[in-house]
Structure formats: C-alpha cells, structure tokens
Amino acid sequence: MSLLETLLLPRVVGAVLVFAAAAMCEPLLESWLTRLLRGNGAFDWCWERLLSPLLRATLIGALVAALYPALFGLIEAPTLGRLIALGHARVNLLLGALFLLTLVLSALPVISRHPALALPLQGILATAMLFSWLADYLGATNALLVTGWLQLLLLVILAVTSYRIANIGAARLGARLDAAASVSGSQAILRQGLLLLAQGPLIVLYGHTLGRQIAI
C-alpha cells in the first residue's frame, strides 16, 4: 500500500482517533486522583515520575500494536501474537523500553526545552521494536531501522510542526469550549488528544519507510 492509502485506511484512522480520545482521559484521571488523594504528598511525585510515564508508554505501545500490519504498509503479515510468542517477554520488553525512554527524556534538558520530540521518539521506538520482530521473523537481516538522514530530518520537521499545530488547536478550541460551557481546563484535555492525533501520521510515515524494505 502507498503511504496515502495507509493513512486513509479506516482501521488506521479509527485507531488513531480511539487512542487520541484515550489520551484525553489522562488529565481527567490526574484531576480525579488529585482530589481523591488530597494532602498526600507522595502522590504528586508518584504521578509525575511513575504513573504518568507508565500510562503514556502503555498508550503508545498499544497504538503501534493496533496499527500493525498497516503501519508498515502491509496488507498481509504474521499475526502480532505470533511475533510476540517467538521471543521471550517481548511485551514486557516493549513497555519497559518505552517507560525507561520516558524517564530518560524527562530528565534531559534538551527535551524539556523541546517537548515536541518526546512523543514521536516514543512512537518511533515502539515502531522500531515491532519492525525488528517482524524482520527477524522474515529473516530480513539487512533491514535497517534508520534509512537515511533525509528521513530523520523529515521526521524532526514533522514532529515540531505537528506539535505546534496541536498546541495552537488546543488553545483555541479549549478557550471556546470553556467559554461556551462555562468550564475550565478544556485546553489541557484537548492538548493531550490533539498531540497524539497529530503524531499518528508521523508514526505511520516512519513505519511505512521501514516496511518498504520487506515484501510479503
């Protein structure tokens, strides 16, 4: 399948929309837990350092899994269950790697100054790991996880652009929703969903470039 055909697949569109909606539940969950555990000084630390990174790692990993095999521009491919079964604790390895990456990124000053890179890096890591399982299954030992500097430059440009578009959209839509419904906090909720929604095509683009190295 071409990249455009992949992006327009109902399965791909539906998966990105579903997980964007799921991402918007994070601020609501944080707000609910904050009220429930008010006065618990350890909660803020646990949420920031453990719970929130784990939720995001799970969300990104699940999104990439839901997009397989269309993620790589493939119509037919071995089932995800078979790829997982052929390796030891692959699901735990994937979630652990995403969780560790989230913790590392949050500690890096360059990422704190440029948060647009965090979510794409998580998606790229999950996609690269899934592709490595597929390539191993097919015996494609020459398959690369990075196909060139042009690919990297394009991914960075798209990551920054989509991040800014999502932020602008969340600010404008959130302000209108707050005013119309006489509420507050809509921007934070919409921002989480729009960020994932905007990064979905970027993850598919990366996966599609990887998938062109193999044929099933």
Side-chain angles (χ1 to χ4, degrees):
M1 290 184 293
S2 68
L3 176 60
L4 181 59
E5 289 174 331
T6 302
L7 289 171
L8 294 179
L9 278 176
R11 177 180 177 180
V12 172
V13 175
V16 174
L17 289 176
V18 167
F19 281 93
M24 288 192 288
C25 294
E26 182 183 331
L28 297 175
L29 177 61
E30 180 182 7
S31 177
W32 177 72
L33 289 175
T34 299
R35 292 194 302 269
L36 183 66
L37 301 174
R38 184 176 300 170
N40 188 333
F43 168 72
D44 290 339
W45 185 91
C46 288
W47 176 263
E48 185 69 24
R49 301 294 182 182
L50 298 174
L51 296 179
S52 181
L54 182 59
L55 282 175
R56 293 177 185 177
T58 303
L59 191 66
I60 291 297
L63 172 61
V64 171
L67 292 174
Y68 175 84
L71 175 65
F72 302 120
L74 303 175
I75 299 176
E76 296 183 1
T79 65
L80 184 60
R82 182 162 182 77
L83 295 183
I84 293 173
L86 291 177
H88 177 66
R90 281 184 166 178
V91 173
N92 292 337
L93 179 62
L94 174 62
L95 293 178
L98 289 174
F99 179 68
L100 180 60
L101 177 64
T102 304
L103 295 180
V104 171
L105 291 178
S106 64
L108 294 177
V110 66
I111 298 298
S112 63
R113 293 195 300 268
H114 304 285
L117 299 177
L119 186 59
L121 286 175
Q122 293 169 327
I124 286 172
L125 174 61
T127 303
M129 291 184 69
L130 182 54
F131 179 75
S132 69
W133 300 347
L134 177 61
D136 181 60
Y137 176 88
L138 297 175
T141 56
N142 294 326
L144 303 175
L145 298 179
V146 178
T147 58
W149 288 105
L150 182 60
Q151 179 199 43
L152 290 177
L153 179 61
L154 179 60
L155 290 174
V156 170
I157 292 174
L158 289 177
V160 174
T161 302
S162 60
Y163 178 83
R164 291 182 177 178
I165 291 174
N167 271 328
I168 293 173
R172 294 182 178 179
L173 291 176
R176 292 182 180 180
L177 184 58
D178 285 347
S182 299
V183 296
S184 62
S186 298
Q187 179 178 342
I189 297 173
L190 290 172
R191 181 176 179 273
Q192 292 294 91
L194 290 178
L195 281 176
L196 192 143
L197 185 65
Q199 299 298 341
L202 186 149
I203 295 173
V204 173
L205 171 62
Y206 173 65
H208 198 270
T209 59
L210 296 181
R212 287 188 300 182
Q213 301 177 83
I214 59 179
I216 297 180

